[in-house]
Every structure is written in structure tokens, then in C-alpha cells.
Amino acid sequence: MRFVTSLRFRGLTLLGAAALCIALPGSVATLGNSAQAGVTLEERKLPMHFKWVACQPNCKGWVSAVGIVTADSPKDFEDFARGRQLGGATIVLDSSGGSVNDSITLGRRFRGLGASTTVGVSVVNQTPQGDRPSVVPEAYCESMCVFLLLSGKTRYVPEDAHVRVHQIWMGDRADDAKAASYTAQDMMIVERDIGRLAKYTFEMGGAGDLLSLALSVPPWEDLHELSPTELRLTNIVTTDAVADVLPRDTASVPVAELKSKPTQDRFVSNTVEGNALPQATKSTKTAEATVPTGGVAAAAPVPAK
């Protein structure tokens, strides 16, 4: 979680740790054949956008939500939702994080719809029977995306998805967080937004362990990837059945499961074994200042909204 400064905004933001990249025109598509799934690595570092993926008659459709949550994301979702019946829909997330307060707003909107949530990349596979949409599970939900995931009434995380957390920090001082200086007002804003996030977490049915895990990872360390045990401990996962979030009425399988990889616990291992284990896969740094993210326009830090 970090404060992020842009030309127009300064606000508290929880971001993933992947370098912001600008995709060439036409090179990024949420929906494409399975070979294009990797291209969405570029998409999830851009401002979040929403698409409806229809797969009738083989299965129920879903909402694809890809990218970083910005100050525009709640309105963008309202524009997307207008004229659509999204009550009880499933939202498939692939995101590097984003604005704390705007993510909280968006998450409460998802919960108000009674939505289910999962992690994945939406693709369209070309088959002899025609185009067939599916969800590739090897995707990423980092930082504030984890709290969007928590907004689902039913929550499923595929074995090959990467769910990662870290701590609040000032984005304009994240490059050398240890050497930077901080004011009392900076600390007040951080503590205030931790409180907001804690309130939201409990509203969504999350556990205090989720906040403890996130707040234990400083910005100079790699994001911590939640293990299957930690996903349960934090109440992120409510079901192990993909059909609970992506129901199907034929033999069509909307989520392609891949071979799972072991992920090490952070808190659970410390509690049970009394010592810390090495961190999971190393992440690269996000170029936060280049993306306008939530908050109130101001010359100095002010309470984010």
C-alpha cells in the first residue's frame, strides 16, 4: 500500500510490484486466443477496465476486470454496469493494485451486487466448434486487488493464481523508503487509511490476519504471496469449487486448471515453526507516479477520498 503522486492526484494507494509498461497500439487484448494470455501482463499495469464475457449456452458469463484501480475506476464501472443485469455476476480479477479509497468504493459496489470473485485471465480459445471463452488461472491479484477479491460473497482462487500483499507507503518516497523523511501528517494519513481498510476488511468478512500479513511487508521487500493455508486463514477463499463462481450447464470447463506450485507461508510458518521462510517469487517495482490514482487534487498530502 503506497501513496502515489501524479500530475493531478496525491492519495493513498496500494499497488502491486510490476513495472508500468505502455503497450503498443493493438498489442493488448483482454480476449484473444490462449497464446495472448501473457499479453495481459501489460494490461494489468494500465488503468482498470471492465468487459463482459458471454459464453452461453455453455456457461454463465462473467465480468473481466483488468488493470490498476484509479480515481476513475468506480465511475468507469458504473458506466460499464449501466443497462446490464450484473446482480450475482462473477468478477474475474487480474490487477497490480491501485488506490486504497477507490478500491474500497469499488469493492463495496461489488458486494452490493452480490458478486462472486476469482482471479484469472479471460481468453477466447479457437476450437472446431467456434470461439470458446475461458479463464486461464495463472494470473495475478496484488495489493489492493486482494481487497477487491475479498468483496465477493463467494470467493475462489485457482491453485496457479498469485495473490500478493504488502504494506502502505508513500509512493513518492518508495524508491528509497528507508532514507526518506516523513512528517507527522504523513503518518496520520497512513494510520487513518489503515483504519478505513480495516473497517472494510471486516465488513467484507475478512480476517485480521490479512491486515497483519500485508502490514508486515515493508516496501523494500518483495510482495508476499499468500499460500493456500494463508488464503484460508485470512478468509480470502470461501470455496474450493470453481463451479461456485463460474457455473456451467454442459461439459464445458470455463476455467482451465494448471499444475499447482507450492507457496510458502509467512505468518502460518512463523506461528507453527517459530521461524520465517524465504520469500516467494521476486517482483519488480511499479512506476507509481505515472498513473493518476485516487485521492484529492492538492499540492500537499491531504486526506484521500
Side-chain angles (χ1 to χ4, degrees):
M1 292 184 285
R2 297 173 179 165
F3 273 103
V4 174
T5 304
S6 71
L7 294 177
R8 296 186 303 137
F9 297 98
R10 177 173 294 187
L12 188 60
T13 302
L14 181 57
L15 291 173
L20 179 66
C21 298
I22 299 176
L24 296 175
S27 66
V28 174
T30 300
L31 299 181
N33 59 37
S34 57
Q36 288 178 299
V39 179
T40 61
L41 287 173
E42 307 301 326
E43 257 191 313
R44 70 186 184 86
K45 302 160 198 168
L46 299 174
M48 181 168 280
H49 62 278
F50 308 93
K51 291 186 179 179
W52 176 256
V53 182
C55 62
Q56 288 82 1
N58 293 325
C59 66
K60 183 180 177 181
W62 62 86
V63 176
S64 171
V66 182
I68 294 172
V69 178
T70 72
D72 295 325
S73 297
K75 180 182 182 299
D76 289 343
F77 182 75
E78 293 304 325
D79 292 342
F80 165 79
R82 191 171 296 116
R84 289 186 168 93
Q85 299 297 322
L86 296 181
T90 291
I91 299 171
V92 179
L93 296 161
D94 186 32
S95 171
S96 296
S99 162
V100 169
N101 291 310
D102 294 304
S103 293
I104 289 173
T105 298
L106 195 56
R108 286 182 172 140
R109 181 71 170 96
F110 291 171
R111 177 56 65 90
L113 289 170
S116 298
T117 52
T118 187
V119 182
V121 177
S122 298
V123 300
V124 173
N125 301 295
Q126 296 176 350
T127 72
Q129 293 75 34
D131 291 347
R132 194 176 191 179
S134 64
V135 177
V136 176
E138 193 165 5
Y140 294 79
C141 186
E142 299 175 325
S143 300
M144 274 311 295
C145 176
V146 179
F147 293 88
L148 282 181
L149 179 62
L150 188 63
S151 71
K153 291 188 71 174
T154 304
R155 305 182 288 273
Y156 170 76
V157 175
E159 289 182 345
D160 284 87
H162 305 278
V163 179
R164 296 171 172 172
V165 295
H166 70 159
Q167 188 181 79
I168 286 178
W169 212 261
M170 303 289 189
D172 57 350
R173 279 154 281 185
D175 286 341
D176 195 357
K178 290 183 177 180
S181 60
Y182 306 92
T183 67
Q185 184 183 23
D186 293 336
M187 296 301 99
M188 179 276 294
I189 295 172
V190 170
E191 291 176 1
R192 179 209 62 191
D193 281 60
I194 289 174
R196 288 178 176 175
L197 194 58
K199 183 176 185 291
Y200 168 87
T201 298
F202 296 129
E203 284 177 2
M204 297 298 116
D209 297 282
L210 176 58
L211 292 167
S212 295
L213 279 163
L215 296 175
S216 72
V217 185
W220 50 85
E221 291 185 10
D222 299 330
L223 276 75
H224 173 65
E225 184 165 332
L226 299 181
S227 70
T229 302
E230 288 167 337
L231 288 169
R232 283 289 184 183
L233 177 71
T234 57
N235 288 346
I236 291 292
V237 169
T238 65
T239 181
D240 293 323
V242 62
D244 288 343
V245 296
L246 291 170
R248 54 192 183 274
D249 51 22
T250 72
S252 173
V253 180
V255 174
E257 294 291 356
L258 303 177
K259 184 179 179 181
S260 62
K261 297 172 288 186
T263 302
Q264 295 165 328
D265 295 333
R266 184 182 181 93
F267 269 18
V268 175
S269 296
N270 290 351
T271 301
V272 175
E273 300 174 9
N275 57 354
L277 291 174
Q279 293 295 300
T281 307
K282 186 174 182 179
S283 303
T284 53
K285 184 175 294 183
T286 303
E288 299 94 339
T290 63
V291 179
T293 51
V296 177
V302 296
K305 294 182 179 179

